Amino acid sequence: MTTLESFPPKSVQRWSADDYATNGRFVTDLAGPILAMLAPAKGERILDLGCGHGVLTAEIAAAGADVLGVDLSEELLAAARARGLTVLRMDGHALPFRGEFDAVFSNAALHWMRRPELVIAGVARALKPGGRFVGEMGGHGNVAAIATAMRAVGALRDGDPVKIAPWFFPSVAEYRRLLEAGGLTVNTIALIPRPTPLATTGIEGWLTTFGRSFFEQFAEPERTEVMGEVVALLRPSLSNADGVWTADHIRLRFAAVLPS
Ligand code: BEZ
């Protein structure tokens, strides 16, 4: 049986709810389009897959939906519970639900789940006939500069390859294929370049929050040196003359349905 402890692609990422709230603010600030695509309705039962600290889960609940959030990070779930939300710790690769949701929603979480065929199979099982799967994740080319800098520095310092850029950023064709193989009908799917200014936190905030497992594999003082090398590699491409950083984000946004 698959368990959180034994599952091969288990998350290598650890989260700090405080870091996420500060450095990952763009994740929820820029979620308007995907929430609009979900269009949660009063009384609908909705699963928020990878709900994190629950900011968007709360918005779905505010629309009158009966929403359940699931995530693998106990620390982020604690922040979601503090908002009064119903959430469960669960691996998105092993969803246990059967035909009970009108919609499954996911924002900025699916790229952490490296066996997408298992995730999509669980989503399809969880949906009622006619139910929809609406999501946004990093798509092909997402954070290409950031990932390349981490790979380059990590390789020179014998870093653990699993911890270096441990993400899944599919193309439109690849994710469409996966959704269709999982029994879903794709209504819309597109890659959307979305350069994201990091005006307040800079690139170090991004790296500290989203590359935490990568940097934590090095002890001090090496960790600080590694951070300095990654930042130096990125400065020419992601920082402007005023020192304002922009993350090279590309979203994959889609809506699919389980046929009735
Ligand atoms: C993203 O939202 O694109 C992202 C977040 C964390 C790690 C990698 C990408």
Side-chain angles (χ1 to χ4, degrees):
M1 190 187 126
T2 299
T3 66
L4 292 178
E5 286 67 36
S6 71
F7 195 75
K10 77 183 170 197
S11 173
V12 292
Q13 173 73 1
R14 295 194 313 110
W15 294 99
S16 151
D18 287 343
D19 277 0
Y20 194 88
T22 308
N23 301 323
R25 238 196 106 142
F26 61 84
V27 172
T28 47
D29 283 355
L30 301 175
I34 192 63
L35 276 175
M37 266 172 71
L38 175 67
K42 194 165 175 345
E44 278 192 321
R45 180 135 172 83
I46 296 182
L47 178 67
D48 184 357
L49 172 55
C51 65
H53 59 355
V55 170
L56 299 182
T57 326
E59 288 198 32
I60 296 168
D66 170 16
V67 60
L68 170 67
V70 296
D71 203 285
L72 199 49
S73 163
E74 194 47 63
E75 174 150 12
L76 294 183
L77 288 171
R81 279 191 202 98
R83 295 180 205 279
L85 297 163
T86 305
V87 294
L88 293 173
R89 180 166 190 254
M90 198 170 282
D91 187 338
H93 296 92
L95 297 174
F97 309 105
R98 293 283 183 279
E100 61 180 276
F101 291 99
D102 297 291
V104 176
F105 171 79
S106 188
N107 183 54
L110 293 168
H111 49 243
W112 294 102
M113 303 177 201
R114 288 150 53 99
R115 294 287 303 278
E117 72 284 8
L118 299 180
V119 177
I120 291 167
V123 168
R125 283 193 305 269
L127 287 170
K128 298 175 184 172
R132 54 207 198 278
F133 182 25
V134 178
E136 185 170 308
M137 64 193 291
H140 186 66
N142 191 44
V143 296
I146 295 175
T148 303
M150 288 168 67
R151 285 200 182 96
V153 174
L156 283 176
R157 291 181 176 263
D158 289 331
D160 177 347
V162 177
K163 292 181 175 163
I164 299 171
W167 309 300
F168 166 62
F169 296 140
S171 67
V172 164
E174 182 180 8
Y175 209 67
R176 176 189 286 279
R177 224 173 16 247
L178 284 160
L179 289 166
E180 290 176 349
L184 300 170
T185 302
V186 178
N187 287 339
T188 64
I189 184 163
L191 275 183
I192 299 156
R194 196 201 60 199
T196 303
L198 305 172
T200 50
T201 58
I203 198 68
E204 280 203 37
W206 194 103
L207 292 167
T208 303
T209 301
F210 297 115
R212 188 166 170 186
S213 302
F214 170 72
F215 290 100
E216 285 188 348
Q217 72 185 301
F218 303 103
E220 290 294 3
E222 191 179 22
R223 187 182 301 170
T224 302
E225 291 166 18
V226 168
M227 175 64 80
E229 287 168 15
V230 173
V231 170
L233 276 176
L234 288 172
R235 183 167 284 111
S237 27
L238 297 187
S239 172
N240 71 11
D242 301 322
V244 177
W245 289 84
T246 299
D248 49 342
H249 284 166
I250 297 177
R251 319 320 291 163
L252 180 70
R253 193 179 290 162
F254 63 88
V257 293
L258 184 69
S260 299

